[in-house]
Amino acid sequence: MTLPVEASDDPPQAAAANGASAGKNDSSSAPASSAKLSRKLSISEMASASSTRRVATPKWLSCWLEFPFRIKNNQTGEYVEEATAHAMDYSARGPINQCGSFVGSAMIRLAAVKAMKAGTPTIYGMKPSSVLTVASLIVNISAGVTMPFVGALVDHTDHRKIMGTVSAFIMTVAVAVQIAISEDTWLAVWIFEIIGGYFLIMHQVCTMAYLPDLTHESAEMGHYTARFMIDQYFVQACFTLIIILVSTYWDHQDNGVIASTIATARLSAGMATGIGCVLFAYAWTFLFRKRPKLREIPEGSNIFTTGFRQIGVTTKHVFSKYRALRWFVIALLFSPEAGAGVVLSIAVTFLTFHVRMTVTEIAIVSIIMLFCNVPGALISKFMCRKVNPLNSFRCAEMFYAMVNALIAGTVSGPEKKGLVYPYAAMAGLAFGWMFPSQRTLTVAIIPKGQETEMMGLISFFGQILGWLPALLFTIMNENGVDMRWSMSLV
């Protein structure tokens, strides 16, 4: 079987063909042990070994920027460049995701002010409390319709790396624009929030296509995914902690809730933009490798239709041949990760309007969740090894459902604000446990040799109903249903 590696004018180095280790320390490593020689090289290792390195990493830069994100393979003890790239990419996305809570809180407050000044309960035909969920609705419907086409570009062209780079760039630009948020510009910021959300989903499709290439072993994949999430949570937590400290200072200046919220949103957007520029640029310039197209476009199809046809063919194949994978993709339809930003938009709306939390209090809730994500990821790593990834994912899903039920049943209003903090810790533990388990399970049950094809199907099923919670929340909110029952939809 021919494995796809980076297109190059030079032939792959003999080290890759002989099963030697890949990564930055290839030329200086000692002779491989018999265990290493018998181990099958991953596609990522082969891609690194065969790279011409026409764009070389500056040594002084890799020493301090790349080092914190390097992850050792737990079998060979060596570094894989694309594993480092994933860690940096996850860590860049963390602050961008978190920025959405601060900018989102500012947007819905500014929308409420605008509606109040106009003397109406609505703004542009919707309640201010529906602004974020309507944005999520637009993003996820657009993604559900177009992601098969994006998947076709990933599979049937050699533009996977270019697409990852461009989507990261547009996503970062969309966040940079949010620095300008104000009472006069909130609608433009809202539009760029939608643009950024769409390209976040596109970017995740591109990075997910690289994920199975890291290793052939589920134990190694569990090790990698847990570390990716820990890196993301750590960077995101540090980011949020800085925001809390600065926003607490601004709160004491008595400039008003709106002014403090706007200042916090601008700070978070500026910091997230800076982090994204550095980490995305480094990962996609120096570490992710090109891939040739995996297959030709079938006869009678074109690049616009082949993705939809392939989804249909693959779905039929999975549902008839692979029972475990069939039930897994069905479960993904209702996963909390389905849809970009849906959980975040609903949670920020709930905490702002129903619980009456300030932006600083929302930030404290976020950082509690983030710090609890780390032990959650460690639980995932332990459970995947001890009880298998499927049962680990099941346990995490049940734990999250219990937490959500407690929130809906007990947080009845601002007077119950104190309950939010322990629930945030429990939700953080659930998320930290759930997502690494889900990714490890994904790689473990995909039929060998069909990784990219199945990843496309999984990405599609993860988005196809991602818009539904936002739609139901918006309908219930517009009709005056108690927001805690709407919150239970998550």
Side-chain angles (χ1 to χ4, degrees):
M1 173 182 175
T2 301
L3 295 177
V5 295
E6 180 180 4
S8 168
D9 297 331
D10 301 331
Q13 297 173 9
N18 292 331
S21 61
K24 289 187 175 297
N25 53 355
D26 287 344
S27 60
S28 61
S29 60
S33 66
S34 58
K36 292 180 186 177
L37 287 171
S38 63
R39 175 181 171 272
K40 185 179 178 182
L41 283 175
S42 70
I43 296 174
S44 291
E45 289 169 321
M46 294 184 69
S48 292
S50 64
S51 172
T52 58
R53 303 187 187 278
R54 288 186 292 268
V55 182
T57 310
K59 191 170 182 179
W60 63 268
L61 187 60
S62 64
C63 287
W64 65 270
L65 180 58
E66 182 181 328
F67 180 76
F69 300 98
R70 288 180 179 170
I71 306 172
K72 284 186 176 181
N73 182 291
N74 60 358
Q75 289 193 16
T76 66
E78 295 166 353
Y79 299 110
V80 178
E81 287 182 332
E82 286 187 353
T84 303
H86 275 283
M88 297 181 84
D89 189 272
Y90 272 71
S91 297
R93 278 185 273 156
I96 288 176
N97 287 334
Q98 192 61 48
C99 174
S101 66
F102 302 118
V103 174
S105 181
M107 279 195 294
I108 55 181
R109 290 179 193 275
L110 290 170
V113 169
K114 200 79 171 178
M116 184 178 63
K117 287 183 177 180
T120 66
T122 62
I123 185 79
Y124 299 110
M126 57 186 167
K127 290 182 179 181
S129 53
S130 296
V131 164
L132 291 185
T133 52
V134 168
S136 290
L137 187 60
I138 295 171
V139 167
N140 286 285
I141 289 178
S142 302
V145 170
T146 60
M147 279 309 115
F149 169 65
V150 173
L153 290 175
V154 171
D155 284 356
H156 297 287
T157 72
D158 58 357
H159 300 323
R160 187 191 302 184
K161 181 177 178 179
I162 294 174
M163 291 172 63
T165 304
V166 170
S167 58
F169 174 77
I170 295 176
M171 184 170 38
T172 305
V173 169
V175 174
V177 170
Q178 296 172 11
I179 299 172
I181 189 169
S182 69
E183 188 175 337
D184 296 324
T185 63
W186 74 267
L187 182 61
V189 168
W190 182 76
I191 293 171
F192 274 92
E193 178 78 6
I194 293 171
I195 294 171
Y198 175 83
F199 280 95
L200 171 61
I201 298 176
M202 177 178 169
H203 187 75
Q204 288 173 335
V205 170
C206 296
T207 55
M208 283 287 283
Y210 277 96
L211 189 63
D213 294 355
L214 290 176
T215 178
H216 303 289
E217 303 294 331
S218 60
E220 288 181 20
M221 185 58 69
H223 167 70
Y224 281 135
T225 55
R227 175 61 189 275
F228 296 157
M229 301 305 289
I230 289 172
D231 284 355
Q232 176 181 335
Y233 299 148
F234 178 76
V235 173
Q236 196 170 340
C238 293
F239 169 85
T240 307
L241 184 59
I242 293 171
I243 299 295
I244 289 174
L245 294 174
V246 176
S247 63
T248 301
Y249 169 77
W250 282 334
D251 286 346
H252 290 149
Q253 301 303 303
D254 293 327
N255 294 322
V257 173
I258 297 298
S260 177
T261 301
I262 292 173
T264 302
R266 289 174 174 172
L267 174 64
S268 67
M271 289 178 59
T273 300
I275 294 170
C277 285
V278 173
L279 297 184
F280 280 142
Y282 190 95
W284 288 94
T285 301
F286 300 118
L287 301 179
F288 280 113
R289 301 296 170 194
K290 294 179 182 178
R291 297 290 195 274
K293 57 185 175 184
L294 294 176
R295 59 181 70 87
E296 297 292 337
I297 297 174
E299 187 176 350
S301 296
N302 57 57
I303 195 65
F304 298 100
T305 61
T306 188
F308 295 93
R309 290 186 178 183
Q310 187 61 48
I311 287 289
V313 171
T314 306
T315 301
K316 184 177 179 180
H317 181 63
V318 166
F319 276 57
S320 61
K321 300 290 185 181
Y322 302 107
R323 181 174 177 272
L325 190 55
R326 176 183 68 199
W327 287 110
F328 178 65
V329 296
I330 291 173
L332 285 180
L333 294 173
F334 310 100
S335 169
E337 198 176 24
V342 171
V343 172
L344 180 64
S345 63
I346 292 176
V348 169
T349 302
F350 176 79
L351 295 177
T352 301
F353 284 95
H354 184 76
V355 189
R356 305 291 181 185
M357 282 187 157
T358 66
V359 67
T360 304
E361 290 171 329
I362 293 174
I364 293 171
V365 169
S366 297
I367 203 165
I368 290 172
M369 288 185 65
L370 289 168
F371 278 119
C372 291
N373 283 159
V374 175
L378 295 175
I379 291 173
S380 170
K381 183 178 179 180
F382 173 80
M383 292 290 285
C384 285
R385 189 171 63 248
K386 291 295 183 183
V387 301
N388 74 50
L390 174 59
N391 287 329
S392 177
F393 181 56
R394 284 170 172 166
C395 292
E397 289 266 84
M398 289 189 289
F399 182 61
Y400 174 74
M402 180 195 72
V403 174
N404 204 34
L406 287 172
I407 293 172
T410 61
V411 183
S412 55
E415 68 280 0
K416 299 291 186 179
K417 185 184 297 185
L419 292 175
V420 172
Y421 300 107
Y423 290 157
M426 296 168 68
L429 200 67
F431 280 127
W433 179 0
M434 187 190 315
F435 296 146
S437 297
Q438 178 176 313
R439 285 168 174 77
T440 304
L441 175 61
T442 299
V443 175
I445 65 176
I446 286 178
K448 301 303 179 186
Q450 303 178 51
E451 288 87 355
T452 303
E453 178 185 352
M454 295 301 175
M455 276 296 186
L457 180 69
I458 287 167
S459 296
F460 177 72
F461 269 80
Q463 295 300 329
I464 193 172
L465 290 182
W467 50 270
L468 187 58
L471 175 63
L472 295 177
F473 182 95
T474 302
I475 291 172
M476 294 172 73
N477 183 54
E478 292 292 318
N479 286 279
V481 177
D482 192 322
M483 201 172 286
R484 64 175 172 155
W485 304 122
S486 305
M487 178 69 182
S488 67
L489 295 171
V490 177

